[in-house]
Amino acid sequence: MEKTDKIIVGISIGDINGIGIEVILKTFEDKRMLEFCTPVLFGSNKVISFHKKALNMNNNIHGIQSIDKIVHGKINLLNIWKEEVKIELGKTTNQGGKYAIKSFTEATEALKSKQVDILITAPINKENIQSKEYKFPGHTEYLEDKLEGKSLMILLTEELRVGLITGHIPVSKVAETITPELITEKVTVMHQSLKQDFNISKPKIAILGLNPHCGDNGTIGKEDDEIIRPTIETIKQTGKMVFGPYAADGFFGSKTYKQFDGVLAMYHDQGLAPFKALSFGNGVNFTAGLEKIRTSPDHGTGFDIAGKNKANPDSFKEALFTSLKIFKNRNEYVELEANKLKVK
C-alpha cells in the first residue's frame, strides 16, 4: 500500500438483494469523491459485477485479495468470498442476510485492527441477518460488543442531531428500561460526542419526555416526574447544559429543536419519525461513543426499488462526508486535549 494522508474508508455492502450496492456505486461515479478518501468495499467481484450489469453502470473497480494491496485513487474491492451467491433483487433471503453480515463483520475487523480508518455500512435486513453466529438486532449493538466504549445511535443532518435513550427494543419494554443510570450514560456520550466529533465546546442538549404531554403531572404516567425530571436536575449539577423534559409533539412542531445542539429521545420512533420527516432523505446514522467511527445512510434496504436504478445516493454521500468530518474533528480534539496547558 502506497503512503498517503488519504482517509481509508471501509464499506460493508449491505443486503446483496437491496439498494446498498447501488447507492455505493452511484456515490463513487463522481471520480472527485476519490480525492477525499480511499474506499474499500468488502464483498466479491461477482456480486458487484452482477449489480453493475443490472444497473448498466460502468464504475472501474479495483479487485484486491488482501487489504495491503489497496490502491489510492481507485474504488478498491476486497474479495472476502469466492463462492457463487444467488442474487434475487428485491427479495429477502437467507443468503442476502448471510453475506450482508459477512461483509459487515469483516469490515469491522479491519476497522478494529486499524486497516481502515472509518466504517460506512450499507443497509441490512434485521430479520434475515439472524443466525447462530449473529444474534444482534442490528449494526449498532454488534459494534458496541466488538469495540471499546458505550454506543449511542445519533441520526443527524446539518441542523438536527437526535440520539436515542433506548434503541432496537419493543415499545412494551421502553418504560421499564429507562432508568436514571441509562439517561445519565446517554447524556454523557452525547455531550462528549458533540464536543469531540462536532467541535461544539459547550453543547446544549434537550431531553424528550416519555409520556404524552410529559405525563400531565402524573395523569398519563409517572415516569417523567419520578425518573426523567429528577435525573435532568442531577445532571445539571455536573455543569452540563441539559434541558427538559419536552413533549415530543410540540418540541418538533414548534421547531424548538433548533435551539439545541443535540436531542435525546426516549425511544426509537419518538426520535426517528420526526427526524426522517424533517431530513428529506439526507439524514445520516452515526454510532457515537465508540473508539472508532461508523456512519450509514438513514434508509433501509429498499427492496421495492432494488435493481431498478431508482435509489437516491444522497444519504450515503452524506454518511461518507459526515464520517470524514468526524474523523478530522476527533483527531484535532485529541491533539488539542494532549496539548492543553495544565493549570498549576
Side-chain angles (χ1 to χ4, degrees):
M1 192 191 310
E2 61 189 272
K3 290 185 178 180
T4 179
D5 291 331
K6 281 188 180 176
I7 299 169
I8 300 174
V9 181
I11 302 174
S12 62
I13 61 175
D15 196 299
I16 58 174
N17 297 317
I19 62 171
I21 294 172
E22 180 178 342
V23 297
I24 293 168
L25 294 175
K26 284 182 174 179
T27 294
F28 292 104
E29 268 189 315
D30 185 344
K31 294 182 180 178
R32 291 175 298 178
M33 299 296 286
L34 300 176
E35 297 174 9
F36 301 107
C37 65
T38 299
V40 184
L41 281 57
F42 288 73
S44 86
N45 272 322
K46 292 176 181 177
V47 170
I48 300 299
S49 294
F50 180 97
H51 280 263
K52 283 175 61 179
K53 185 176 180 180
L55 298 164
N56 194 28
M57 299 180 73
N58 58 5
N59 303 62
N60 186 17
I61 306 293
H62 177 66
I64 56 176
Q65 303 306 317
S66 62
I67 207 157
D68 61 337
K69 302 298 183 184
I70 289 172
V71 174
H72 298 286
K74 293 184 180 294
I75 307 168
N76 296 271
L77 169 63
L78 180 63
N79 283 282
I80 57 173
W81 70 81
K82 295 181 180 178
E83 63 268 24
E84 291 285 346
V85 177
K86 187 176 182 181
I87 300 175
E88 300 179 74
L89 292 174
K91 295 183 180 180
T92 175
T93 67
N94 290 334
Q95 283 210 328
K98 174 183 175 181
Y99 288 98
I101 290 307
K102 185 171 180 61
S103 175
F104 171 54
T105 54
E106 291 276 353
T108 301
E109 282 303 307
L111 180 70
K112 189 175 180 179
S113 61
K114 300 182 180 179
Q115 293 176 301
V116 300
D117 297 311
I118 55 184
L119 172 63
I120 304 179
T121 57
I124 55 176
N125 179 280
K126 290 181 174 57
E127 180 183 1
N128 69 20
I129 60 171
Q130 302 302 319
S131 67
K132 290 181 181 179
E133 294 77 29
Y134 193 94
K135 297 182 180 295
F136 299 89
H139 290 116
T140 306
E141 294 80 6
Y142 179 85
L143 289 167
E144 184 175 62
D145 185 68
K146 298 299 179 183
L147 302 174
E148 293 294 324
K150 291 287 187 180
S151 71
L152 171 67
M153 183 190 295
I154 297 180
L155 276 291
L156 62 96
T157 62
E158 283 291 330
E159 63 174 18
L160 177 61
R161 302 177 191 91
V162 179
L164 303 180
I165 300 287
T166 61
H168 294 125
I169 64 171
V171 173
S172 60
K173 301 282 187 183
V174 170
E176 65 189 60
T177 304
I178 293 170
T179 62
E181 293 77 18
L182 182 62
I183 295 170
T184 302
E185 175 190 302
K186 298 301 183 182
V187 168
T188 301
V189 173
M190 175 169 266
H191 186 267
Q192 180 61 22
S193 179
L194 290 170
K195 289 174 65 178
Q196 72 175 17
D197 299 328
F198 298 97
N199 215 9
I200 300 168
S201 58
K202 296 181 179 180
K204 290 176 63 180
I205 299 172
I207 300 178
L208 302 182
L210 173 64
N211 298 295
H213 313 297
C214 295
D216 267 346
N217 297 316
T219 307
I220 322 174
K222 298 181 179 180
E223 293 87 355
D224 294 276
D225 288 335
E226 295 183 357
I227 298 174
I228 300 171
R229 207 179 301 275
T231 302
I232 291 172
E233 292 305 312
T234 300
I235 295 171
K236 281 182 178 179
Q237 294 171 20
T238 68
K240 295 182 178 71
M241 292 193 290
V242 292
F243 305 88
Y246 294 95
D249 54 353
F251 182 82
F252 288 104
S254 63
K255 298 185 179 180
T256 305
Y257 63 87
K258 291 189 175 183
Q259 301 173 22
F260 297 93
D261 301 302
V263 181
L264 280 170
M266 286 295 142
Y267 56 93
H268 188 278
D269 284 13
Q270 183 191 51
L272 267 60
F275 174 83
K276 291 192 175 184
L278 292 165
S279 66
F280 303 108
N282 293 312
V284 174
N285 182 349
F286 166 49
T287 305
L290 300 181
E291 58 175 326
K292 302 291 185 180
I293 296 163
R294 172 259 175 167
T295 63
S296 73
D298 73 347
H299 58 72
T301 53
F303 287 139
D304 57 323
I305 57 171
K308 298 177 182 178
N309 210 2
K310 294 182 177 180
N312 186 333
D314 287 352
S315 183
F316 190 90
K317 287 180 182 178
E318 286 298 323
L320 173 61
F321 283 125
T322 297
S323 66
L324 298 176
K325 285 180 190 175
I326 291 173
F327 183 82
K328 291 175 181 177
N329 285 345
R330 190 175 287 192
N331 284 345
E332 287 174 5
Y333 179 85
V334 170
E335 187 176 336
L336 287 170
E337 286 295 298
N339 296 325
K340 186 183 287 185
L341 291 174
K342 295 181 179 179
V343 179
K344 294 182 178 180

